[in-house]
């Protein structure tokens, strides 16, 4: 560490040589991306340094942690001049214990954030969304007892929804304890004995009302150890497949979905709180959706929790997108780390029914081995959800579409992106296509659609008109109606979002225009066609 470097947080007074002065530098709002807070930083990819002073007095015998909900991409954290650690990955949480580093009085937190894309990173160099830099989600301090409840999992048995089961994990020196699990509304008040590693499991007969999109029932849950207490709200449901059907709570269920990026509704900055998320999720509900694919990375925790309260199912995904360095073990370990961080944060959220491990990755043996290994890892962590990836269809002969991906045998559903009528032929190609599939599993179209600039009306044969997009969806839905194994559809995408690849002046202006809403929240003509499909497929047609 340089003696007068940024981590030392020295005010510049001219008496020592240094190249910074936090006290006279511009400020940024945290949480928030730097791109939309400063015109100078709009296209910036590189290093930015943050400094925050705070006062804190730690209670005797307690422990203190600093938690980052997300920071894009590589984050180096210093407290009072000492390196706490380095985290790589822009969409998942991380934390450091600072019990021995915090001081009574003024503390200096210095954070170095670097959002440069990397060939061996996850995601890698090329993506179709904006590379928002900065501390994009909340940062906070967490004070705990010396031994505290580190983790817990509570759910119904996947094969028996009358059996509430789970575990508790303690962290600290006094790991051999009795922990009380209370769910007052279910009259559950159970005691769990933890072992020398702080782990204890339980299984309790009960009859919870199952969480459903029309009745998103959540129960107050209280876990109490010797010195710690944790409160949460948890719902119970089962999700599994049966041949070509998806079963929610044992009943066939059609996923009427929409894709969404984590951008605010009206100014297209990085979304990071429940109020911003609720607007986007309500737009999805207004379209008749019961399901949202959070593309192409884990969204903020408020997004998942707000959706759970609103009765929206979730597909959550790590950013293995397009071309990844499949032969690199470091890249695999980074992907596995992000998978574990995603599952660790959200494994108690019952509305998440799918963990997704990739999007649109070209088939080759190294990639298939990489993703197979990752799918096995996901199942070893959590056996209560489906494992998926957004694959790509193949035309094996003229107008005969199928999947030739070896992942079909690995994943729980046949989920894939297809853009017939946009990237793949004219709209009327949809009318002629035949679909067959290599295995009997549920089929979910994880992306389809096209682009339109809001208010751009004209010939339905002209790209980027609302008329073209609306007619494209009509052809698509007629085609999809002919797929007997169809269990879900997820149009691309909820709203127009920023993308540096979309450059047509006056039409795209650095926005991907495939949204059913514009970037200003205006409904495009195709919104109503998609809504009518969703309502019909879910039996709620008006």
């Amino acid at each position: 560490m340089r003696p007068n470097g940024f981590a030392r947080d020295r005010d510049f007074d001219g008496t020592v040589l240094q190249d910074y002065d936090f006290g006279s530098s511009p400020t940024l709002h945290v949480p928030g991306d730097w791109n939309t807070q400063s015109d100078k930083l709009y296209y910036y990819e590189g290093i930015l340094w943050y400094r925050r002073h705070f006062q804190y007095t730690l209670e005797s015998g307690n422990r203190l942690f600093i938690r980052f909900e997300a920071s894009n991409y590589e984050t180096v954290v210093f407290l009072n001049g000492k390196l706490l650690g380095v985290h790589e990955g822009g969409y998942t949480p991380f934390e450091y214990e600072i019990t021995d580093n915090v001081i009574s009085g003024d503390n200096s937190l210095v954070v170095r954030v670097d959002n440069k894309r990397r060939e061996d990173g996850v995601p890698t160099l090329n993506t179709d969304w904006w590379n928002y830099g900065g501390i994009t989600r909340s940062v906070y301090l967490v004070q705990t007892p010396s031994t505290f409840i580190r983790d817990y999992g509570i759910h119904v048995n996947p094969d028996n929804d009358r059996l509430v089961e789970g575990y508790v994990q303690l962290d600290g020196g006094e790991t051999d304890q009795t922990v009380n699990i209370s769910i007052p509304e279910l009259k559950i008040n159970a005691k769990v004995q933890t072992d020398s590693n702080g782990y204890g499991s339980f299984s309790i007969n009960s009859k919870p009302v199952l969480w459903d999109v029309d009745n998103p029932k959540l129960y107050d849950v209280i876990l109490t150890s010797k010195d710690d207490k944790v409160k949460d709200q948890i719902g119970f449901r089962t999700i599994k497949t049966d041949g070509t059907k998806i079963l929610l709570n044992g009943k066939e269920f059609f996923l009427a979905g929409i894709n969404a990026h984590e951008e605010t509704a009206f100014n297209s900055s990085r979304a990071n709180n429940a109020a911003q998320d609720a607007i986007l999720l309500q737009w999805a509900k207004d379209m008749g959706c019961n399901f949202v694919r959070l593309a192409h990375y884990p969204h903020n925790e408020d997004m998942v929790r707000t959706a759970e309260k609103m009765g929206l199912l979730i597909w959550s995904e790590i950013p293995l997108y397009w071309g990844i360095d499949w032969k690199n073990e470091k890249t695999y370990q980074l992907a596995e780390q992000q998978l574990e961080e995603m599952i660790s944060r959200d494994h108690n959220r019952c509305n998440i029914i799918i963990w997704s491990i990739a999007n649109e990755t070209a088939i080759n043996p190294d990639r298939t081995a990489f993703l197979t290994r990752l799918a096995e890892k996901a199942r070893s962590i959590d056996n209560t959800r489906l494992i998926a990836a957004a694959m790509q269809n193949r035309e094996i002969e003229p107008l005969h579409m199928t999947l030739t991906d070896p992942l079909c045998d690995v994943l729980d559903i046949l989920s894939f992106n297809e853009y017939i009528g946009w990237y793949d032929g004219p709209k009327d190609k949809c009318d002629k296509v035949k679909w067959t599939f290599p295995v009997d599993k549920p089929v979910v179209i994880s992306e389809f659609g096209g682009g339109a600039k809001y208010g751009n009306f004209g010939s339905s044969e002209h790209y980027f008109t609302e008329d073209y997009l609306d007619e494209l969806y009509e052809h698509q839905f007629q085609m999809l109606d002919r797929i007997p194994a169809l269990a879900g559809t997820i149009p691309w995408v909820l709203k127009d979002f920023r993308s540096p690849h979309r450059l047509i002046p006056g039409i795209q202006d650095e926005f991907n225009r495939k949204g059913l809403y514009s970037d200003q929240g205006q409904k495009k003509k195709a919104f109503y066609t998609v809504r009518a499909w969703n309502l019909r497929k879910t039996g709620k047609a008006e």
Side-chain angles (χ1 to χ4, degrees), residues 31 114 153 196 221 312 316 353 361 369 377 461 477 479 517 542:
D114 184 353
S196 59
V221 176
L312 285 166
S316 190
I353 58 170
T361 55
K377 181 64 177 181
E461 299 307 309
F477 290 140
M479 175 186 70
Y517 289 84
E542 296 173 338

Side-chain angles (χ1 to χ4, degrees), residues 274 276-286 292 294 302-308 310 312 314 494:
Q276 295 168 346
D277 301 332
I279 297 172
L280 299 173
L281 295 170
Q282 188 57 55
W283 286 0
K285 294 207 73 168
D286 291 345
V292 181
L294 301 181
D302 281 331
M303 177 70 86
V304 180
R305 285 182 174 269
T306 302
E308 186 177 49
M310 293 175 67
L312 285 166
I314 293 294
L494 180 66

Side-chain angles (χ1 to χ4, degrees), residues 143-201:
Q143 185 173 174
T144 73
S146 59
T147 299
F148 66 96
I149 300 171
R150 159 71 70 177
D151 190 21
Y152 55 92
I154 303 175
H155 55 266
V156 291
N157 183 288
D159 299 313
N160 181 1
D161 61 22
R162 292 298 179 255
L163 195 62
V164 175
E165 57 187 22
Y167 68 89
V168 61
Q169 177 68 59
L170 300 182
D171 184 315
E174 194 177 349
T175 53
D176 188 356
Q177 292 191 23
T178 299
V179 179
N180 192 74
I181 313 293
S182 174
I183 308 178
E185 192 173 347
L186 292 176
K187 296 182 172 55
I188 289 176
N189 193 36
K191 296 189 183 302
V192 178
Q193 182 63 45
T194 57
D195 60 20
S196 59
N197 295 313
Y199 180 85
S201 61

